[in-house]
Amino acid sequence: MADTLGARVGRIVSGSAHALIDAIEGAMPDAVIQQTLREIDKAVDDVRAELGRTIASKHLANKRLTEQSSRHEELSGQTELALREGREDLARAAVEHQLDVEAQIPVLEATVADAVKREVELEGYVAALQAKRREMEEAFQSMLLARARSAQEAGAAATPDGGPSVTRRVENATGAFDRLMAREGAPGLGGVDREQGAKLAELDNLARRNRVEERLAAVKARTGDQG
């Protein structure tokens, strides 16, 4: 499941959005883009389902690890008590049980560590797929706008005073993109949605700049320590 899911995400993310747009410009771009977006959304859903199972597994392993660690400490106390009371047979039984617990603890620790690693990996998959979806939306919008401008330029050359304005054609292209995104459950690019999209993009850029500054500060700190 892990390898299959990872390969699937890798195939989606590694595909070029612009190459896909170029390939479908002469066909039915709306249908192809819708299919591609649905594939990305389905992959996101599948990754999130796997993420939920991973988190549940980590929780159960953590719970069992805590229980076994507590039991190990309890058995240590019981062993000492049994010896003080002269019950070596009971102390021996406690030690035997303690050895069984010790055999399980490393496996539980490894299970938790693997779950943590897998959780981070799956969260990365979701982020990458969401980024890919935004890339596809932007590429498709750019294609529609380019078509609108090209059609307007061709029309203006043939009939300088005829046809709708460039602004109107661009608005029509944006409207087509918004309708497609609405069918796919995504926000469009007009009105309030466009303003919200700009704010989210600004927020993403701010977060990215902060990560850059943090990494630079860490590098500077290491360089200073070595110097």
Side-chain angles (χ1 to χ4, degrees):
M1 176 63 181
D3 293 340
T4 300
L5 188 59
R8 180 178 167 197
V9 173
R11 175 180 57 78
I12 293 173
V13 173
S14 62
S16 170
H18 292 284
L20 176 61
I21 295 299
D22 291 341
I24 65 176
E25 279 192 330
M28 299 176 62
D30 286 21
V32 177
I33 289 295
Q34 287 182 51
Q35 179 180 352
T36 302
L37 294 180
R38 281 195 295 269
E39 181 182 8
I40 293 175
D41 291 341
K42 179 63 166 59
V44 169
D45 290 342
D46 291 344
V47 172
R48 283 177 170 161
E50 177 72 7
L51 179 59
R53 288 189 289 269
T54 299
I55 292 174
S57 175
K58 183 185 71 173
H59 173 73
L60 291 175
N62 256 323
K63 181 180 178 182
R64 183 61 175 167
L65 178 60
T66 300
E67 292 173 350
Q68 292 295 74
S69 297
S70 298
R71 181 57 177 158
H72 189 274
E73 294 179 2
E74 181 182 5
L75 287 167
S76 294
Q78 291 177 347
T79 300
E80 294 176 0
L81 176 61
L83 289 174
R84 285 198 301 269
E85 296 295 326
R87 295 296 305 273
E88 186 172 337
D89 58 328
L90 296 180
R92 181 173 288 104
V95 170
E96 289 176 353
H97 191 182
Q98 196 174 43
L99 291 174
D100 290 339
V101 171
E102 289 174 359
Q104 298 177 54
I105 287 178
V107 176
L108 291 170
E109 290 175 339
T111 300
V112 172
D114 288 344
V116 170
K117 181 180 178 181
R118 182 63 172 160
E119 182 179 356
V120 172
E121 181 182 32
L122 291 169
E123 288 173 347
Y125 286 171
V126 171
L129 288 168
Q130 290 174 336
K132 188 65 179 182
R133 196 185 206 283
R134 289 191 294 270
E135 179 187 346
M136 292 298 304
E137 292 171 1
E138 291 168 2
F140 184 57
Q141 186 209 16
S142 297
M143 184 198 73
L144 290 176
L145 294 177
R147 280 185 172 182
R149 291 191 177 96
S150 297
Q152 172 59 25
E153 290 171 0
T159 55
D161 297 328
S165 66
V166 173
T167 300
R168 173 60 61 187
R169 286 187 177 273
V170 169
E171 288 176 352
N172 289 342
T174 302
F177 180 82
D178 288 347
R179 288 191 295 274
L180 172 61
M181 291 300 102
R183 288 199 297 271
E184 294 303 313
L189 295 169
V192 176
D193 288 333
R194 182 183 299 176
E195 181 180 354
Q196 182 182 16
K199 290 180 179 179
L200 291 175
E202 183 179 359
L203 182 61
D204 287 340
N205 290 333
L206 178 61
R208 184 183 295 272
R209 286 197 300 270
N210 285 338
R211 290 197 299 271
V212 169
E213 294 302 324
E214 289 174 357
R215 183 164 298 185
L216 284 176
V219 172
K220 288 178 181 179
R222 290 199 302 270
T223 303
D225 291 343
Q226 293 173 358

